[in-house]
Amino acid sequence: GTSVLLFEGSITLLIPLQEAVATPQDRKKFPTLYPKVIMGIISFYTFFGIFCWMSFGNSVNTVMTTSLPPGNLATTVQLAYSVAVIFTFPLQNFPSLEIACSAIASVAQKLVYSSCPSTSGNGRLMARLVLNRNVIASCLVCLLGLVAVLTMERLDKVVSLMGSLLGCPLAFCFPPLIHNQLDLSLSRRRLWLNKMISYLGLGAMILASVATILTW
């Protein structure tokens, strides 16, 4: 699950990255260049993980900065990492918060006005306040903070479960099925390959999720 979570962004950002290429000539080179970049990243992660494991052994903590020897350097690294997380948190969560806030506000608005169509002025003002984007986003951030506090001792399990339940569908299940729906000229062989990748992703999601839950 953790391995899949590392690379789910490579699938979801594929089309935006290709569309952001400056010229059509360079855009044609993108399908050849992109797999090479991903393989380079995989190689770097692999060697980095192997060398760190060889250096520290099985005593490495889930948060690697806590495995550093005590001292000023370790404290500086941990402080710098904390500051970086604090200032990049809004940027990292902006896309997901926008989607979540829009969906929640839409569903909640239908429920509020369908259950109470003759809401008074004060009731409508309260409903608008509750359905405000900033209020919903604040509640979601507080919920994330609560989950972080409750699961801080099991961070590896949480990350693995996120990769299993969320990363596998985003990386393996949905893209091939979307490809089948968008390109109607695909050969029968390609259609079946895409379906097979989706089924394998579904199997990996189930196996990884069950394994993570059983070892919780």
Side-chain angles (χ1 to χ4, degrees):
T2 304
S3 302
V4 174
L5 189 64
L6 289 173
F7 296 102
E8 59 88 15
S10 64
I11 302 296
T12 56
L13 294 177
L14 175 60
I15 295 178
L17 285 175
Q18 186 172 8
E19 290 298 321
V21 177
T23 62
Q25 292 79 9
D26 292 335
R27 197 171 299 161
K28 292 179 181 178
K29 302 176 185 177
F30 188 85
T32 305
L33 181 62
Y34 191 73
K36 295 179 181 178
V37 174
I38 296 299
M39 288 305 299
I41 295 174
I42 292 174
S43 301
F44 173 77
Y45 279 160
T46 302
F47 284 111
F48 183 79
I50 291 174
F51 288 139
C52 288
W53 179 78
M54 291 173 62
S55 301
F56 295 99
N58 294 327
S59 60
V60 178
N61 297 327
T62 304
V63 181
M64 193 171 177
T65 54
T66 60
S67 298
L68 297 173
N72 294 331
L73 178 60
T75 304
T76 303
V77 171
Q78 293 170 4
L79 180 62
Y81 181 75
S82 301
V83 171
V85 170
I86 290 172
F87 283 103
T88 57
F89 180 80
L91 181 62
Q92 294 174 9
N93 283 272
F94 178 75
S96 56
L97 283 178
E98 286 297 311
I99 296 172
C101 290
S102 299
I104 293 173
S106 177
V107 173
Q109 187 174 11
K110 290 179 181 178
L111 291 175
V112 169
Y113 290 108
S114 61
S115 59
C116 303
S118 59
T119 306
S120 62
N122 291 334
R124 288 184 179 275
L125 182 62
M126 183 61 68
R128 272 200 211 101
L129 178 63
V130 173
L131 297 176
N132 186 276
R133 188 259 181 205
N134 293 333
V135 174
I136 298 175
S138 299
C139 292
L140 290 176
V141 171
C142 291
L143 179 62
L144 288 175
L146 179 62
V147 172
V149 171
L150 295 176
T151 60
M152 66 172 60
E153 299 298 331
R154 302 180 183 87
L155 180 61
D156 53 339
K157 301 295 189 294
V158 174
V159 172
S160 180
L161 193 62
M162 287 175 56
S164 305
L165 291 176
L166 305 178
C168 282
L170 286 175
F172 300 121
C173 298
F174 296 146
L177 296 178
I178 294 173
H179 188 205
N180 285 350
Q181 294 295 323
L182 293 179
D183 193 350
L184 300 179
S185 62
L186 291 176
S187 63
R188 185 183 297 270
R189 177 174 175 272
R190 185 62 191 178
L191 289 172
W192 278 105
L193 284 175
N194 284 345
K195 290 181 180 179
M196 188 181 300
I197 293 172
S198 297
Y199 294 147
L200 290 174
L202 180 62
M205 180 188 72
I206 296 173
L207 289 175
S209 301
V210 171
T212 302
I213 293 172
L214 292 177
T215 58
W216 197 276

